[in-house]
Amino acid sequence: VEKGLRMAGQNQMVDDFVGSMNHAAEQAVPVAAGVFGDAIQQMSIEDAKGILAGPDDAATQYFKKTTQTNLFAKFYPVVQKATDSVGVTAQYKAMMGKFSGLDTLGGLGGMFGQKKPATLDAGDIDTYVTDKALDGLFKMVAEEEKSIRANPAARTSDLLQKVFGSATK
């Protein structure tokens, strides 16, 4: 849909829609700290050993396994409220209306190599944004973890220096 709309000169509409989804996802991220804190408190000695001895993203994998369901449950209502307040659903409907118009006006959508997409209902949009927010969160966690493992200067707390300093010995 995005490619077809951009080719049809609807860049601003697509940019507004993507921006509103990103804004909705950003509003959900602050609730993650408490969920990660709970996961750390429930971590076993075996989990900690596995993280220290594991690959560059072992902690990220642990957090994803132990927090994803809870994070989704906490993120979803925040995303739902944010998408309502920034008008994601209305923008989505307008965007799909434009795309549908391309499909009926001489087959322009097909000319751009686009098939008419299945539409999402408002709940699916919120699920999509929540899933993408979680994907982005875990990507950032993985990047930070890799940095902490590789760069002693990135170990900014006494705990990180102690834990990862001992792991390299």
Side-chain angles (χ1 to χ4, degrees), residues 2 11 14-15 17-20 23 36-37 40-41 46 54 75 106 113 121 124 128 133 150 160 169:
E2 178 182 357
N11 290 332
V14 173
D15 292 345
F17 178 68
V18 170
S20 65
H23 183 68
F36 283 124
I40 290 169
Q41 288 180 353
E46 288 304 311
F75 274 40
D121 65 27
D124 288 338
Y128 176 82
L160 287 175
K169 291 181 183 175

Side-chain angles (χ1 to χ4, degrees), residues 89-163:
T89 303
Q91 288 182 356
Y92 173 76
K93 287 179 181 177
M95 202 166 65
M96 292 309 293
K98 290 279 187 181
F99 189 85
S100 295
L102 292 177
D103 213 36
T104 57
L105 293 173
L108 290 177
M111 217 169 81
F112 295 132
Q114 303 295 314
K115 295 178 184 173
K116 186 174 181 180
T119 58
L120 299 174
D121 65 27
D124 288 338
I125 293 169
D126 295 333
T127 297
Y128 176 82
V129 173
T130 302
D131 285 341
K132 291 301 178 186
L134 291 173
D135 289 349
L137 175 66
F138 286 117
K139 181 179 180 188
M140 289 173 51
V141 169
E143 289 170 2
E144 186 66 23
E145 178 184 1
K146 186 175 181 179
S147 175
I148 288 168
R149 288 179 183 272
N151 180 7
R155 301 171 192 164
T156 57
S157 71
D158 290 338
L159 179 61
L160 287 175
Q161 290 170 8
K162 188 175 182 180
V163 170

Side-chain angles (χ1 to χ4, degrees), residues 27-130:
Q27 290 183 17
V29 172
V31 303
V35 176
F36 283 124
D38 291 344
I40 290 169
Q41 288 180 353
Q42 296 173 15
M43 185 183 294
S44 71
I45 298 294
E46 288 304 311
D47 291 330
K49 286 180 181 178
I51 289 169
L52 286 174
D56 284 348
D57 68 343
T60 304
Q61 290 175 30
Y62 169 80
F63 283 126
K64 193 169 189 178
K65 178 180 75 173
T66 60
T67 66
Q68 189 154 16
T69 300
N70 195 5
L71 283 171
F72 186 93
K74 297 223 182 237
F75 274 40
Y76 187 85
V78 175
V79 166
Q80 195 172 36
K81 183 178 178 184
T83 59
D84 287 347
S85 72
V86 298
V88 169
T89 303
Q91 288 182 356
Y92 173 76
K93 287 179 181 177
M95 202 166 65
M96 292 309 293
K98 290 279 187 181
F99 189 85
S100 295
L102 292 177
D103 213 36
T104 57
L105 293 173
L108 290 177
M111 217 169 81
F112 295 132
Q114 303 295 314
K115 295 178 184 173
K116 186 174 181 180
T119 58
L120 299 174
D121 65 27
D124 288 338
I125 293 169
D126 295 333
T127 297
Y128 176 82
V129 173
T130 302

